[in-house]
Amino acid sequence: MENRWIVRSKHENVSFFMIKKDVYKTIAVLVSLLFVMLVGLMVGSDIIPFHEVIQYTFHIAPIENEFALGELRMPRVLSGMIVGASLAVAGLIVQGIIRNPLASPDVIGVTGGASVCAVLFLTYFSDALGVQWTPIFAVIGAIMTFFIIYLFSLHPSITANRIVLIGIGLATLANAVVMYILVTSASFSSEQAYLWLTGSLYGVNWLQTISILVSFVVLFFIIMWLKRKFELYSYGDSVAEQLGLNLRRFRIIFLFFSALLCGLSVSIAGGIGFIGLLTPHISRRIVHHHTSLLFITTAGIGAILVVLADWIARIAFQPLDIPVGVFTSGIGAPFFIYLLIKNRNSF
Amino acid sequence: MVQLVKQNKGKIFGLFFLIVLLFVCMLSSLLFGSTHYTLADIYSMITSFNANDLTHIIIWKERFPRMVIAVATGASLAVAGVISQLLTRNPLGSPSVLGINSGSIFFIVVFVVLFKVSDLNIIVYFAFLGALVAAILVYLLGSLSYSGTTSLKIILAGIAVNAMFVSFTQIILLMNQKGMNDVLFWMAGTISGRTLDMIIAVLPFLFISLISTCFLGRSMNVYASGESIAKGLGQNVMLMKLTLLVLMVVLAGGSLAVIGNIAFVGLIIPHLAKSLVGNSYVWLTPYSTVLGSIFLLAADISTRLINPPAEIPLGVITAFIGAPFFIYIAFKGGRERGKSMDRSIET
């Protein structure tokens, strides 16, 4: 029993154990996240020294690079972190629910649906209501897409693989719709259209960052609170049902959450691909036993991937600033192929 | 698959009717656009061509090439779809879904951007090469398992290969933004602004492949009945596969070199043809040829008429029609002659 901590409350109404290794690994992931974020803040077109970053962050003293750090890098790194975390957690949930390693919000078209609604709103209604309503519309789009997929899945002959196929069709359709709206509307250039479809963190401001941060934290806590249900579900339909899980309600609630997470990140960054597909696979390799630690690790690794990819996109091709989505899909597509090879006997 | 026309007489008559329809579409392609012309204009252009008359110039220099290109590439893409659906034995197995389109585009982009090739006579060969590489990759990925090749796995492999080539293409483009304008149309797919010499460079390839596919109808029927049956009937299955592969690569690659990435023609048209004349390839190929031309002509005309004077990208139109179709087939599970998509292909 050396490898675990056992936690009991006084009357044993709460008791659980934690595998030490998993806890250490999770902490390691979070530390690496901090490190990556620091690097992202320090290194850019010019280098801001470490002590200045600390001084600015904790308001110790005014610094000379105030604008570059405070208005450009800080929001970008923070929102990158949240976008990555939300996409990764959404991916974990979707893969868990569909029970298919190839499923993720962007592969099955949820990101696309969110993009469609967001772009529609930006083109036709943003003047009347204001840009700050974009996340709401993106979330509505994501929920609608999930609803369509859910309707398809009610059909008895539909296997999990076929849901993925249907989702891929939806994703293609959504891309075409976004293209169409952007081409026909006067307010967008084709450049912006391209950015929306690839996903990028250009020009994120503090307001967006704070709002997405707060929503993510709230959602994450709710999901952690419901994690027991997620654990039950992972034992398979029949076992979960016998242990008292209402399958249909569970699926709807959790898909709703992942739609919220997706919509939020799309409204900030457009359709960043493959994060939701990739991250859960990595985190499941790191943490084996704990749903709560799994969620934390997934969020952490997703954040690391996006912040890192965005940093490379900023640094590698100066003076060009490349959309982060190009990198994530550049890494993600070969990984998708690797998954196919790895799971080749399960289709 | 319920077929509409059952007697051979009816099929011949139907083909004749479709050819008449094709001519009507060709004429409308010359007449309609941001400015409409009359038959009298065309007549006067043919009888007394005046190099200074703007009407004559637009019809001859702008619309006539578009018409020729739409007819040739529409037919080729449709027949490439017929072949690839036969090879993968999957109703979803069209070149665009299998990543053959994006493989071609990737190779074109690499050689145009990095090696500054600009002669279309040479580019065509790279398009063939790209299509071939993608096809081989998909086949290898799809056949890696104990259970042999299932047609579902081939589709998933195609989707993965497609995603990979698309993201690689994007990365190359972003590293060389100067070359972007030279290759952007290949990415988006369009017929406008192509010249006659472009299609003349690939026309011999396309024409020869189309004719040979039409003559292969009976062997394709034998091959379609399953590989072991085809062997039993004395067919050289390996040779047949190779022939079909080469024909598909030439048809898909050749059309893509001219018009860029137009998806879904090869998915929709074979199904349409099957619903008209049933499963015999003797009839399927000629029908798909004519239907493909009509489809692409109609799509091209609609790009000009939907939002004049601006044009909608052709790829968006085909995706609008094609993606719902894809979803429908995925939902149905492509039951054809009692074969379900999840069952393995005998090799």
Side-chain angles (χ1 to χ4, degrees):
Chain A
M1 290 322 219
E2 275 310 292
N3 63 348
R4 57 182 64 179
W5 288 304
I6 296 176
V7 181
R8 290 183 204 281
S9 67
K10 201 165 181 183
H11 299 290
E12 291 204 11
N13 43 12
V14 176
S15 70
F16 58 93
F17 66 85
M18 296 176 99
I19 311 271
K20 285 181 186 174
K21 239 188 204 164
D22 283 358
V23 177
Y24 293 145
K25 282 176 182 166
T26 308
I27 291 170
V29 166
L30 294 179
V31 170
S32 344
L33 172 63
L34 274 179
F35 175 74
V36 169
M37 283 172 71
L38 251 181
V39 170
L41 288 174
M42 281 164 56
V43 184
S45 48
D46 51 355
I47 300 210
I48 298 173
F50 178 71
H51 65 265
E52 285 195 12
V53 173
I54 298 295
Q55 276 170 349
Y56 176 81
T57 312
F58 299 106
H59 297 292
I60 298 169
I63 57 165
E64 52 186 297
N65 291 315
E66 184 110 15
F67 179 77
L69 186 63
E71 294 303 314
L72 300 177
R73 283 186 204 172
M74 196 75 106
R76 199 162 159 169
V77 167
L78 280 177
S79 58
M81 171 183 99
I82 300 297
V83 164
S86 340
L87 285 173
V89 172
L92 184 68
I93 292 173
V94 171
Q95 283 181 11
I97 287 182
I98 301 184
R99 297 213 169 89
N100 187 315
L102 296 174
S104 80
D106 51 305
V107 173
I108 64 171
V110 174
T111 317
S115 296
V116 168
C117 275
V119 171
L120 260 178
F121 169 74
L122 284 173
T123 313
Y124 296 110
F125 307 109
S126 63
D127 301 340
L129 294 171
V131 183
Q132 67 273 21
W133 290 90
T134 317
I136 309 288
F137 281 81
V139 166
I140 291 172
I143 291 172
M144 276 177 4
T145 320
F146 264 131
F147 185 68
I148 293 168
I149 290 170
Y150 186 76
L151 285 184
F152 272 118
S153 71
L154 292 177
H155 198 270
S157 74
I158 295 291
T159 57
N161 282 329
R162 214 172 284 162
I163 286 188
V164 174
L165 276 186
I166 290 170
I168 287 167
L170 284 174
T172 320
L173 185 61
N175 273 358
V177 174
V178 170
M179 261 324 245
Y180 177 80
I181 297 169
L182 295 172
V183 168
T184 49
S185 82
S187 55
F188 274 100
S189 64
S190 56
E191 186 89 350
Q192 278 170 302
Y194 186 72
L195 279 184
W196 252 107
L197 291 175
T198 353
S200 78
L201 294 166
Y202 295 155
V204 184
N205 58 35
W206 269 113
L207 178 70
Q208 289 173 309
T209 309
I210 297 298
S211 58
I212 190 179
L213 191 90
V214 172
S215 346
F216 175 77
V217 170
V218 171
L219 277 174
F220 194 77
F221 272 105
I222 298 174
I223 289 170
M224 293 297 270
W225 182 54
L226 294 171
K227 72 167 178 14
R228 184 62 56 87
K229 289 190 171 13
F230 197 80
E231 240 166 81
L232 284 182
Y233 187 83
S234 65
Y235 296 134
D237 283 4
S238 56
V239 174
E241 213 152 17
Q242 282 159 24
L243 291 171
L245 182 69
N246 181 338
L247 287 181
R248 178 173 289 189
R249 196 166 57 190
F250 166 83
R251 283 189 194 125
I252 289 176
I253 288 173
F254 265 76
L255 286 179
F256 177 72
F257 282 137
S258 68
L260 283 174
L261 290 168
C262 255
L264 286 175
S265 56
V266 166
S267 67
I268 299 277
I272 296 181
F274 286 107
I275 294 289
L277 176 77
L278 220 103
T279 318
H281 289 276
I282 303 172
S283 62
R284 271 196 294 259
R285 290 220 154 169
I286 294 176
V287 173
H288 302 290
H289 308 281
H290 278 281
T291 317
S292 48
L293 290 184
L294 182 66
F295 271 108
I296 295 171
T297 316
T298 307
I301 291 175
I304 290 176
L305 285 176
V306 172
V307 174
L308 198 63
D310 187 46
W311 180 68
I312 294 173
R314 256 181 5 206
I315 298 294
F317 301 100
Q318 284 191 5
L320 294 177
D321 192 345
I322 286 175
V324 59
V326 172
F327 271 95
T328 54
S329 42
I331 306 161
F335 186 81
F336 190 82
I337 290 179
Y338 159 78
L339 282 181
L340 259 182
I341 295 172
K342 194 169 145 256
N343 298 314
R344 63 186 178 272
N345 296 319
S346 58
F347 290 120
Chain B
M1 196 63 92
V2 184
Q3 60 182 84
L4 217 59
V5 191
K6 291 204 168 58
Q7 276 85 24
N8 276 359
K9 235 183 222 166
K11 288 178 186 174
I12 293 172
F13 179 74
L15 195 59
F16 178 73
F17 173 75
L18 281 181
I19 289 173
V20 172
L21 189 62
L22 174 63
F23 276 110
V24 172
C25 283
M26 281 158 83
L27 260 185
S28 351
S29 167
L30 292 180
L31 296 177
F32 302 123
S34 47
T35 41
H36 300 322
Y37 298 117
T38 57
L39 282 173
D41 290 327
I42 294 186
Y43 180 76
S44 79
M45 185 197 85
I46 295 171
T47 48
S48 55
F49 183 76
N50 179 356
N52 300 324
D53 185 343
L54 194 63
T55 309
H56 291 186
I57 293 172
I58 289 182
I59 294 178
W60 174 246
K61 288 279 174 201
E62 172 68 27
R63 295 199 182 168
F64 181 70
R66 271 179 96 150
M67 180 195 84
V68 175
I69 289 171
V71 170
T73 51
S76 314
L77 286 173
V79 172
V82 170
I83 297 174
S84 63
Q85 287 183 26
L86 171 64
L87 276 174
T88 54
R89 297 181 191 274
N90 186 317
L92 288 175
S94 76
S96 52
V97 176
L98 293 174
I100 286 164
N101 279 13
S102 49
S104 258
I105 303 290
F106 173 69
F107 271 66
I108 292 175
V109 167
V110 166
F111 284 99
V112 171
V113 172
L114 300 185
F115 298 99
K116 305 282 180 280
V117 183
S118 56
D119 183 4
L120 203 78
N121 289 311
I122 301 167
I123 288 175
V124 169
Y125 291 102
F126 292 128
F128 294 156
L129 183 66
L132 188 66
V133 168
I136 290 169
L137 258 180
V138 171
Y139 183 76
L140 286 179
L141 274 176
S143 56
L144 271 175
S145 78
Y146 307 129
S147 56
T149 316
T150 62
S151 52
L152 177 79
K153 213 174 347 179
I154 283 216
I155 295 300
L156 285 172
I159 284 160
V161 168
N162 185 32
M164 185 179 78
F165 279 128
V166 167
S167 58
F168 286 178
T169 311
Q170 281 182 335
I171 288 177
I172 286 190
L173 279 184
L174 285 164
M175 283 152 74
N176 290 280
Q177 291 197 315
K178 286 194 286 298
M180 191 128 169
N181 289 333
D182 307 341
V183 290
L184 204 59
F185 86 86
W186 271 302
M187 307 266 298
T190 174
I191 296 190
S192 64
R194 316 279 88 209
T195 58
L196 263 186
D197 355 339
M198 296 189 167
I199 190 71
I200 285 166
V202 294
L203 210 49
F205 291 109
L206 299 184
F207 189 72
I208 290 168
S209 313
L210 280 174
I211 296 293
S212 8
T213 318
C214 286
F215 278 111
L216 274 176
R218 298 184 68 125
S219 327
M220 280 159 88
N221 280 345
V222 172
Y223 182 76
S225 58
E227 292 201 2
S228 45
I229 295 176
K231 268 192 190 123
L233 290 169
Q235 188 177 55
N236 184 343
V237 172
M238 206 60 220
L239 182 71
M240 186 68 198
K241 263 192 198 172
L242 274 177
T243 314
L244 288 177
L245 179 71
V246 168
L247 284 173
M248 180 187 73
V249 160
V250 170
L251 286 169
S255 344
L256 289 175
V258 182
I259 57 170
N261 197 359
I262 302 287
F264 291 117
V265 182
L267 179 76
I268 305 170
I269 302 300
H271 285 275
L272 203 60
K274 268 180 194 168
S275 61
L276 285 175
V277 293
N279 279 325
S280 167
Y281 285 87
V282 175
W283 290 104
L284 264 184
T285 318
Y287 264 74
S288 298
T289 309
V290 183
L291 281 170
S293 296
I294 292 174
F295 176 77
L296 211 55
L297 273 173
D300 185 43
I301 296 168
S302 59
T303 59
R304 300 177 229 167
L305 296 185
I306 287 176
N307 192 25
E311 284 200 18
I312 313 282
L314 181 63
V316 171
I317 302 275
T318 54
F320 264 145
I321 305 166
F325 201 82
F326 179 100
I327 295 169
Y328 166 73
I329 300 167
F331 181 66
K332 263 196 358 186
R335 290 185 192 289
E336 265 188 70
R337 291 194 253 141
K339 275 183 198 149
S340 125
M341 208 154 63
D342 306 323
R343 200 175 313 160
S344 74
I345 304 171
E346 24 161 348
T347 36

